Amino acid sequence: FQLPEQGKKKARPAAGARNRQPEKLHGDGLWEAEETRDCDQEEILVLTDNEWMHYAAAAAAQCQSSDLKAAYRKVDRPAMEAWYMDDSDEDQRLPHHLDPPQYVSHEALAKLGVLHWVLDAVIYEDDPELEKIRADRGYSYKDIITVSPDKLPNYEHKIRNFFEEHIHLDEEIRYCLEGSGYFDVRDAQDRWIRIWVKKGDMIVLPAGSYHRFTLDANNYIKAMRLFVGEPLWTPYNRPQDDHQTRKDYVNHFLQGQQDAVIAH
Ligand SMILES: CSCCC(=O)/C(O)=C/O
Ligand SMILES: [Fe+2]
Ligand code: NI
């Protein structure tokens, strides 16, 4: 693959893909890398998702400009989707969109303290970008969990517990290496937001945030679990409103957003 020269090249999703429903952007979508070699010469490369991942990763690794690096990372695959949930009792593995769907931006997730990166899961065993995040955030511990009916011992019991609304006293950090699943979080008005995590998505749910996890209809996820120090996976099921970790989360992330709604 050609690598970008600083400031000269742009990359964007294939034009046809932009008008499709967000779900269809995943998987077998094609990407275009538009390379401007000099002022009047342009070349469009059409790449598969996998090729594009490698192209973008290589470009980011060799590029000097941090602005350009960010631009390449941003478009290297479709954004992780999140949406408000309906309140139907149907199978938890279904998407549970509102009608019409109401998507939630990454900025709105960030206000709830939910962090997100897209990494190249193909190279997870030796990925400088992952190692940088681990070093920056002190994620000294890691292991891998596979959640599927045939791979996870005591599957039924565990999947039930994952879907009980709970908090942890530390961040919940998960990096999806294969498959997919839903992490549900509460917004400041206590509405459920469903976050669809797929291969390459790494998310952090803050300590004290109510959340739950379920597989989607594919029934399979392989994820890296990370932690600062010795891991504690203990869930504290809702209600935990008197727990100091919960109070700290509410004060830090939700209070301002709740006040803003009341002021309207
Ligand atoms: C994909 S990791 C399984 C879910 C989990 O570990 C957890 O703690 C959910 O809240
Ligand atoms: Fe959890
Ligand atoms: Ni993001």
Side-chain angles (χ1 to χ4, degrees):
F1 290 124
Q2 291 284 332
L3 293 176
E5 278 169 48
Q6 193 169 328
K8 282 215 167 167
K9 300 183 182 170
K10 291 182 283 173
R12 56 183 165 78
R18 265 195 237 139
N19 297 327
R20 290 196 219 135
Q21 289 300 311
E23 292 92 321
K24 301 242 175 79
L25 288 170
H26 289 274
D28 55 2
L30 290 178
W31 296 82
E32 281 178 11
E34 186 182 302
E35 296 202 350
T36 308
R37 288 174 197 285
D38 55 49
C39 289
D40 47 36
Q41 197 188 351
E42 268 193 1
E43 186 181 327
I44 306 282
L45 305 172
V46 178
L47 309 172
T48 63
D49 270 357
N50 257 353
E51 288 168 330
W52 175 240
M53 284 275 214
H54 287 285
Y55 179 92
Q62 295 200 15
C63 179
Q64 297 298 310
S65 148
S66 58
D67 279 358
L68 195 58
K69 221 185 230 180
Y72 268 82
R73 289 307 311 172
K74 238 188 222 155
V75 297
D76 70 356
R77 50 153 278 184
M80 181 179 74
E81 293 156 66
W83 56 81
Y84 278 108
M85 294 183 72
D86 68 17
D87 52 12
S88 100
D89 292 332
E90 276 187 294
D91 187 343
Q92 68 196 48
R93 293 172 174 78
L94 295 174
H96 286 271
H97 274 289
L98 294 177
D99 181 17
Q102 197 181 336
Y103 288 92
V104 176
S105 68
H106 285 198
E107 289 70 27
L109 291 177
K111 283 187 186 160
L112 298 171
V114 176
L115 306 178
H116 168 243
W117 295 263
V118 182
L119 301 176
D120 185 353
V122 175
I123 56 162
Y124 80 88
E125 283 166 305
D126 187 20
D127 178 3
E129 209 176 335
L130 172 62
E131 292 315 311
K132 175 157 185 358
I133 295 168
R134 290 185 63 201
D136 288 350
R137 298 185 65 84
Y139 298 154
S140 49
Y141 176 90
K142 66 172 180 181
D143 69 10
I144 290 179
I145 182 171
T146 303
V147 183
S148 74
D150 53 331
K151 291 264 164 57
L152 186 68
N154 214 355
Y155 169 82
E156 290 295 343
H157 175 73
K158 286 191 183 141
I159 204 83
R160 244 194 324 276
N161 284 349
F162 290 154
F163 203 61
E164 281 288 325
E165 183 171 4
H166 60 272
I167 63 167
H168 302 282
L169 307 190
D170 303 274
E171 291 177 338
E172 177 160 320
I173 310 136
R174 299 291 184 267
Y175 173 20
C176 178
L177 304 176
E178 291 173 10
S180 49
Y182 296 127
F183 285 90
D184 299 338
V185 298
R186 296 278 191 181
D187 79 353
Q189 284 70 48
D190 216 30
R191 294 174 294 183
W192 278 121
I193 296 172
R194 177 149 274 195
I195 305 173
W196 199 3
V197 168
K198 297 182 178 179
K199 181 174 179 174
D201 287 320
M202 176 165 169
I203 66 164
V204 174
L205 309 181
S209 61
Y210 284 130
H211 68 275
R212 62 188 183 190
F213 171 81
T214 178
L215 290 172
D216 62 18
N218 291 320
N219 266 346
Y220 175 77
I221 193 168
K222 176 177 167 185
M224 184 183 290
R225 305 190 294 184
L226 299 111
F227 207 85
V228 179
E230 275 307 299
L232 283 172
W233 309 123
T234 315
Y236 294 82
N237 288 349
R238 192 168 182 173
Q240 293 296 333
D241 299 343
D242 293 328
H243 201 296
Q244 192 55 46
T245 305
R246 176 66 192 169
K247 287 184 185 169
D248 291 345
Y249 173 75
V250 171
N251 287 339
H252 195 81
F253 290 103
L254 301 187
Q255 199 73 66
Q257 298 182 63
Q258 288 165 344
D259 293 348
V261 168
I262 291 164
H264 268 87

